[in-house]
Amino acid sequence: MANGRIRARIRRSHLYTFSCLRPNVQESEEGSSLPDGPGFSRVVHCNQPVVQKKRPLQYPNNHISTTKYNALTFLPKALFEQFRRAANIYFLLAAMLSLTSISPFSAVSMISPLSIVVGLTMAKEAVEDWNRFIQDRKVNHRKVNGHKEGGVFSYKAWQDVRVGDVVKVEKDQFFPADLLLLSSSYDDGICYVETMNLDGETNLKVKRSLEVTLPLDDDATFKDFTGLIKCEDPNPNLYTFVGNLEYDRQIYPLDPSQILLRDSKLRNTAYVYGVVIFTGHDTKVMQNSTESPSKRSTVERKMDSIIYILFSVLVLISVISSVGFAVKTRYAMPHQWYLQPYDPSNTLYNPKKPALSGLFHLVTALILYGYLIPISLYVSIEFVKFLQAKFINRDKDMYDEESGTFAEARTSNLNEELGMVDTILSDKTGTLTCNQMDFLKCSIAGTAYGTCNSEVEIAAAKQIAMDLEEQNSDVSGIQPMENHSGLGANEIELETVVTYKDERAHKRAIKGFSFEDNRLIDGKWLQEPNSEQILLFFRILSVCHTAVPEFNQVTGGFTYEAESPDEAAFLVAARELGFEFCKRTQSSVVVREKYPSWGRPVEREYKVLNLLDFTSKRKRMSVIVRDEDGQILLLSKGADSIIFDRLSKNGKVYLDATTKHLNEYGDAGLRTLALAYKKLEESEYNAWNNEFQKAKSSIGGDREGMLERASDMMEKDLVLVGATAVEDKLQPGVPQCIDKLAQAGLKIWVLTGDKMETAINIGFACSLLRQGMKQICISTTNLEESAQDSKEAVKENILMQITNASQMVKLEKDPNAAFALIIDGKSLTYALENDMKQQFLNLAVDCASVICCRVSPKQKALVTRLVKEGTGKTTLAIGDGANDVGMIQEADIGVGISGAEGMQAVMASDFSIAQFRFLEKLLLVHGHWCYKRIAQMICYFFYKNIAFGLTLFYFEAFAGFSGQSIYDDWYSLSFNVILTSLPVISLGVFEQDVSSDFPALYQQGPKNLFFDWLRIFGWMGNGVYTSVVIFFLNIIIFCDQAFRAGGQTADMSVVGTVMFTCVIWAVNCQIALTMSHFTWIQHALIWGSIAMWYLFLFLYGSVSPTISGDAYQLLVQSLAPAPIFWATTLLVTLTCNMPYFAHISFQRYLRPLDHHIIQEIKYYKKDVEDEFMWSREMSKARQKTKIGFTARVEAKMRQLKARLQKKQSGTSYQSPTFRTYVHE
C-alpha cells in the first residue's frame, strides 16, 4: 500500500460476500462430490511432489511459450508460411525448373531473387518471434518463493513450479500459476487482487481462503501439510471454478473466490500462501490467449485479384508462344539447314512430335515471362508498411504528455485501410469521455443539491448566448425593445453558469469532487429539515462499496482503490462532506464521521455481514451491516430503473421528485445512481442468511440461479433515500475532432451502455446531435408497462417504429434536414435479428447520427458486424475497455485507447492512441497518405513489371518463339532487386499531397479513387504501351543500320543492353512524374538508381568474360562511344512518358482533382498572398455534413436567412427546432 499499511492481524470471519462467501463444511463426500464424466478429472496432491510426478498425475510444467516457432520447427513452418502464397509457389517451381535444360535463364538468376525475397521475409518473422521468445524467457525466469521441504521456502523460477507445489506470493507480485488460496497476511484469509491483465478491469477484487486453512499462515506450518484437490479440468472460463479440497478427513467445496489466477497481481496484502492447481498452458489466462482475428486490407485483397489477372495473361502468352513454337518446329525447322541435325531422341526440338515439343516450350515460356509477376512486391510492401508504422509511432502530434504515450501501430498490415474508413463505431465512456468521474449533484429526500454545472450545461448555455446574440443583432434594427426582459434573464442565467465555472477554477482542485452547495458544506446540512435522510445518504455513500483505503502520508488523507471511478467519486464526496471511510477489515468498515458530532470526529464501526456485489446483470450492489446500536441495515445503490422496481409502498415518498431530478441530471449529461435502504429484524436476517449460505455452498449447474434468487429475496421492499449524479467529462478536443471527421465524410456511431438521456446529452456536447435535428427514438419503454405483451408483439412494434421512421426519412423533402437515430439495447436485440436487421441498417445509414444506448459488449460486436457486412464498406471501432474488445476485433480496423479501464482494448487492437482527438491525425493524415502511397506503389509495381516482362515476349516472337531471352541473366536479376526497388519504396514512404486542413480529400480513400479498376487497367495499359515503344523503337533503330563508326551492326547483347537501359530510364522517369512531394531522398533514390545501372554495367563488364560473357567491356568499348546509344535512350524515354505527361497536364488544367488545385495554390503561394481565395478553397475542401460544430453553424445560418426572408415578407418567425419520437 502506497505510503501506508494495512493492519493485517485482526481476526474477523463473518463477511459473506455475494462473490466471495465462505461455505459450510461438508461432512461427507456425498454432499460435495464433483459431477461425473469428462471435464472433472484433475487430481492435485498438495505438497507431495513425488506422488504428483507419477502418471497419470503428471501435468504440464509451468513453462509457457507464445512463440510461433522453435529451433526445430522454424525452417519447415516458416517455409510453409512463405509458400502458401501462390506467387511464391510459382517462383519456386520456376527456380526448380531452371536447373533443367528447358529453362531460358540460368539457375542462379532464378534462385537468387526468390532466395532474397523469401529470406528477408523469413528473417522478419524470425526477429518478431525472437522478441516473443525473449519476452517469454523473462516471464519464465521470474522468481517465486516456493516450499522445498521441512517448512523451508526458497526462490525458484516460474518455469520450475509444478502442480501441487506450495508457493508464497508477496505484495505487488504476479501469481505464477492458478493457485488455491490457503491463507494470507490477514487473519481472516482475505487478499486483494488486481485482474487488469485478465479482463482489463482496474478495480480490486476480494479473494478469501477456506476457514480450515487459515492456520497455515507461516512457513513452518507447511512442514507436514498435505491435502487432496479434485476439480474441473483446464478451461478458459475466468469466472467459474468447481472443485473440492479433502483436508483432515473433511471435504470442503471450492469456488472462484478461493482461486488466484496467473498474471493477476497481489495488491494491498503483504503475502499469501497458495497451492498450485493449473500450470503453464493449462492456466485460465493461457486458455484464453487466442490469436487475434486475421485482417487483410481492401487493397491487399484486390492486389490478389490483380496477381490472378497477370497470371492469366502469363498463361495466355505462354500458350501463344508454345503454339507458335510447335508450328515453327513442325514446318520451319526441317528447312532451317543451319540448325543442328535432326535427333529423334531430342524431344525438345522434334519436328515429328511438335505437340510434345510445344508442351516443353510451354514450361520454358512460363519461366521466361515470369517477370510479369513482381516477385519483390510482397517484401517491398511489407518494408514500406513497416516504415509507415514507424512514422505513426513517432508522430509528436499524437503524443499524450499526461500519460507519456505515443500512438502505436500494433500491426502494419492495415496502414492503407486507415485511409478508406467509411463508418466509425465508438464507445462513449473513456473514449469520448475521460472516465474521470466528478461528484457534481445529488438528490436527497426529494430535494436537489449541487449548484455547479456540467460541461454539457455550460456548452448549451454558451450556445444559447451565441444564438440570442445573433438573434438580437439580427432584429435590433426592427424591434429594438422586443423580448428585452427575456434576453436579460437568459444573460443572467448564462452569467451564473459561467461564474460558477470560474469560481471552481480558483478553488483547490479535488479529483473526483466538484460539488458546490452551501446547504450541505461544513455541516450546514444539520439545519436542513430532512437532516436524518441526509445523514443516511452520506452513510450509504461511505459504507456501501468494496473499496480499499490507502493512507497518503504526503497529504495526510486517504485515497481509495475502488472498483470503478464512480465509486471512488462517491467516497471522495463523502470524505469532503465529513464522512471519511478510513479502514476496512474483512468483517467491518470504519467511517470517521465529522458530523453530527460538533467535537472531535468519531470513528464508527459497521459490522459487514454480507456484501452482494455489483454485476452487469444485477446493475446494483448491496451491503448488509450491523451498526453500533445493533440495528441491521441493508444499504443499496444501483441503476434507478432497478432500484425503483424494488421499493416498498412506503418507500416511494420521494419517488416523483427524485425521478424529476434524475431526468434533469440525464439532460445535463450526468451519470446517475439511486440509493435506498431497509431495516432488518434479527430473525428475518438469520432466516435469509441460512438460505443464502445453502445457495453459496451448493455445487451444481443452478448455483448462480440460486444465489440470484436469494439476493432478490433480500433486495426488495426498499426505502428510497436519494440519487447521485457524477460527471464523466469529455476528453479534450473531442468536439473538434468529430467536426473534422464529419467534414471528411465519415459516419460516426456511438455505442454505449449509458441510458438514453445521458447518451443524447453527450451527443449534443460533442456535436453529434444539434438543435434542429429530428431525433428518431426507437424504444420499448411504452411497451414495458404492459406485462401481457408477448415477445412477438414487442418485435412487431419495433418493426413498426423502424418502418415508420424509414418512411418519414424518405418523405422528407428538405435537403438540409438531418435525422438522428437513437435506439436502446432492448430494441436493438430485436433489430439485430435476421428478419429485421436489414431494415434497421437501411434506416441507420440514412441518418446523420446513430446512438445505441444500453448495449452489451456482444451487441457492440453484432452492430459492428452488421455495418461491416451490410454496407460492404470499411469500419473502424474505437474503445478503451474490456467490453469493447468484441467490436474492436470485429471491425475492419480496431483502435484501442490506453485509458483508465486497463489495456485489454489496446491489446486486442490494431492501432492504439491515448486520446480520441488523435484519431483525426491518424485517419486524415496518416491514413490518407498511406492509402495513396500503397495504391500508387502497387499500380507502379505492376506497370514496371509489365513494361519489362512483355519485351521478353515480343523478342521471343521476333526470334521465332525460340525461348531465347534478349537480356543477360544478371540484368533480369538486378531489375526488381536493385535497380527499381528503392524509388518505389520512397514513393510508398515519403509521398504526400496536402495536410488535414482539407478533410474532404479523405473521401478519395473510401471512394477508392486511386485503386479502382479503371486506374489499375490504366496503369497496365501504360505498361503495355511502354513495352511496345521500348521494343519496337529499338528494333527499328538497330536492325537495319550500322551501330558503330566502323560500320558494325548491333548484335543481340547490344540491342538487349540498350533496350534494358531504356526500361530503366522509362520506369524511373515515370515514378518521378507520379510523385507530388520531393525531398532530397527521392531525388537521390530515383536518379541514383539510374546511375547505379551504369555503375553495374561498368563493373559487370570489367570482370572475366567467363562470368560477364557477352557483356564484357560492353559499356566502355561499344555503348558509351556510340552516339546512337544515348540518342536512342533519350528518344525512347521521352516517347514512353509523353502520354502520361499529356494525361496529367490535361487533368490538372481541365479536370483537376481537389488536391491538384490546393497544390497549385501552395506552389504559387496564393495561400499567403490571397487569403480570401485560400479561405474559399478550404471551405470547398470539406465534405458537406449534417453533424459536427460546422453543421451546427451552417444550420444557424440557414435559420437566419429564413428569418430575414420572413421579415422581409412580413411574416413572423417560428423556430424550426423540434424533436420527433417514433412510437406506435
Side-chain angles (χ1 to χ4, degrees), residues 28 90 142 171 218-219 253 356 672 725 746 764 837 989 1026 1071 1095 1205:
S28 67
Y90 163 75
R142 286 176 180 172
K171 180 183 173 184
D218 188 71
D219 291 1
L356 184 61
T672 58
L746 291 163
F764 275 103
K837 63 182 181 181
V989 175
T1026 301
I1071 200 171
L1095 178 62
Q1205 292 175 356

Side-chain angles (χ1 to χ4, degrees), residues 759-862:
I760 287 173
N761 284 283
I762 292 297
F764 275 103
C766 59
S767 297
L768 281 172
L769 304 177
R770 58 176 170 81
Q771 297 300 325
M773 261 189 170
K774 300 178 182 179
Q775 295 180 15
I776 301 171
C777 298
I778 309 294
S779 175
T780 59
T781 303
N782 295 343
L783 301 175
E784 291 175 348
E785 298 174 358
S786 176
Q788 288 78 20
D789 284 319
S790 66
K791 179 180 178 181
E792 287 300 319
V794 175
K795 184 176 179 179
E796 286 295 326
N797 184 273
I798 298 298
L799 180 59
M800 183 176 297
Q801 293 185 50
I802 294 175
T803 304
N804 292 342
S806 299
Q807 193 69 16
M808 183 179 68
V809 174
K810 290 178 181 178
L811 295 176
E812 179 60 53
K813 296 181 179 179
D814 182 4
N816 297 314
F819 293 88
L821 175 62
I822 302 156
I823 184 170
D824 62 19
K826 291 183 179 179
S827 303
L828 196 60
T829 301
Y830 297 100
L832 291 175
E833 292 184 1
N834 290 333
D835 56 347
M836 201 189 300
K837 63 182 181 181
Q838 193 57 48
Q839 294 98 309
F840 166 68
L841 179 63
N842 293 338
L843 172 61
V845 169
D846 289 337
C847 293
S849 291
V850 180
I851 299 178
C852 302
C853 317
R854 295 294 198 193
V855 293
S856 66
K858 183 178 180 180
Q859 285 179 321
K860 289 184 177 183
L862 291 175

Side-chain angles (χ1 to χ4, degrees), residues 1099-1116:
L1099 296 176
Y1100 182 52
S1102 301
V1103 299
S1104 171
T1106 58
I1107 298 176
S1108 59
D1110 293 339
Y1112 180 72
Q1113 297 294 325
L1114 186 63
L1115 177 64
V1116 176

Side-chain angles (χ1 to χ4, degrees), residues 143-184:
K143 299 296 183 182
V144 66
N145 207 2
H147 182 239
K148 293 177 64 177
E149 57 182 1
V152 177
F153 281 72
S154 64
Y155 286 95
K156 58 183 176 181
W158 277 24
Q159 63 183 8
D160 297 329
V161 172
R162 297 292 184 269
V163 172
D165 287 359
V166 175
V167 296
K168 179 180 181 181
V169 180
E170 298 174 347
K171 180 183 173 184
D172 293 332
Q173 289 183 347
F174 290 99
F175 300 115
D178 290 352
L179 312 176
L180 169 66
L181 175 62
L182 299 176
S183 63
S184 74

Side-chain angles (χ1 to χ4, degrees), residues 31-63:
S32 59
S33 60
L34 295 175
D36 295 328
F40 299 92
S41 62
R42 175 152 297 221
V43 177
V44 179
H45 292 268
C46 306
N47 208 24
Q48 301 175 68
V50 176
V51 177
Q52 197 66 49
K53 288 180 181 179
K54 297 179 180 179
R55 294 183 182 276
L57 303 178
Q58 188 175 4
Y59 300 116
N61 60 34
N62 205 37
H63 179 275

